[in-house]
């Protein structure tokens, strides 16, 4: 997918709005438009990855260290979850060996199969579900690092079916039109329309 991708807001302006949005009572009640479950996407130009990571870290530290807030931020780095589960299963070294002997594509398929990422028993989704407390806002990060093993629209679709008691924000290094997710501004868009832009 070629062409120039235009972002409506300056990245600093966009990042500065996150805090007030997630503190809003209607956001915390987990209601999006039409009272659907609150799933949101914060899209950004991939060149600002480090800025986004810094702001996510700052927000977590500020909110989670202050008992006056009625919620905590729980961050799930999708890539780190994959690594953690592979380690626990004793598969991480095997994955490296697969990649060395049979190539990256074979290793990626092996990971997808071993973690059941294409099934209803997706272990990454189950990990997020099982480790999400009440009264929190879930931040999903690591989208770019987890690609192509995990695809954003698959994560959201599968999570949507299980996690419905807290708001979820996916930090997406690419463009979300409200209908399509275009990773890194270049990879062909994946149709997705059940989440709302976090910052308009």
């Amino acid at each position: 997918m070629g062409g120039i991708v235009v972002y409506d807001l300056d990245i600093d302006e966009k990042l500065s709005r996150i805090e007030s949005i997630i503190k809003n009572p209607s956001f915390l009640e987990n209601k999006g438009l039409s009272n659907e479950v609150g799933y949101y996407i914060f899209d950004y130009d991939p060149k600002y990855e480090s800025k986004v990571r810094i702001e996510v870290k700052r927000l977590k530290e500020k909110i989670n260290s202050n008992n006056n807030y009625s919620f905590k931020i729980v961050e799930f780095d999708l890539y780190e979850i994959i690594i953690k589960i592979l380690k626990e299963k004793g598969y991480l070294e095997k994955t490296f060996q697969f990649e060395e002997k049979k190539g990256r594509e074979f290793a990626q398929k092996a990971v997808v199969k071993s973690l059941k990422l294409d099934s209803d028993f997706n272990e990454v989704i189950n990990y997020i579900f099982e480790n999400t407390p009440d009264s929190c806002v879930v931040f999903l990060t690591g989208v770019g690092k987890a690609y192509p093993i995990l695809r954003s629209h698959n994560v959201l679709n599968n999570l949507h079916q299980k996690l419905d008691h807290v708001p979820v924000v996916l930090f997406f290094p690419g463009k979300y039109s409200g209908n399509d997710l275009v990773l890194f501004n270049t990879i062909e868009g994946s149709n997705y329309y059940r989440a709302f832009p976090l910052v308009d």
Side-chain angles (χ1 to χ4, degrees), residues 4 16 18 20 26 45 72 81 97 118 139 157 183 188:
I4 297 172
S16 72
I18 297 175
S20 62
S26 65
D45 193 316
K72 301 293 184 190
I81 295 172
Q97 290 166 11
D118 285 339
F139 280 6
N157 277 326
L183 187 64
E188 189 65 38

Side-chain angles (χ1 to χ4, degrees), residues 102-114:
K102 300 191 176 184
R104 179 174 294 178
E105 191 173 331
F106 182 90
Q108 288 169 352
K109 287 179 180 177
V111 170
V112 169
K113 186 175 181 180
S114 66

Side-chain angles (χ1 to χ4, degrees), residues 5 7 11 43-49 52 172-175 185:
V5 175
Y7 292 83
I11 187 62
D43 63 348
Y44 57 93
D45 193 316
K47 69 183 180 183
Y48 296 122
E49 180 69 32
V52 173
F172 184 75
K175 184 69 175 172
N185 295 341

Side-chain angles (χ1 to χ4, degrees), residues 117 119 122 125 153-162:
L117 301 183
S119 79
N122 184 315
I125 298 303
H153 66 289
N154 286 339
V155 171
L156 292 171
N157 277 326
N158 289 325
L159 199 57
H160 216 129
Q161 296 172 30
K162 298 196 74 168

Side-chain angles (χ1 to χ4, degrees), residues 63 65-72:
I63 288 172
S65 64
N66 189 333
N67 291 328
N68 291 323
Y69 292 116
S70 63
F71 68 99
K72 301 293 184 190

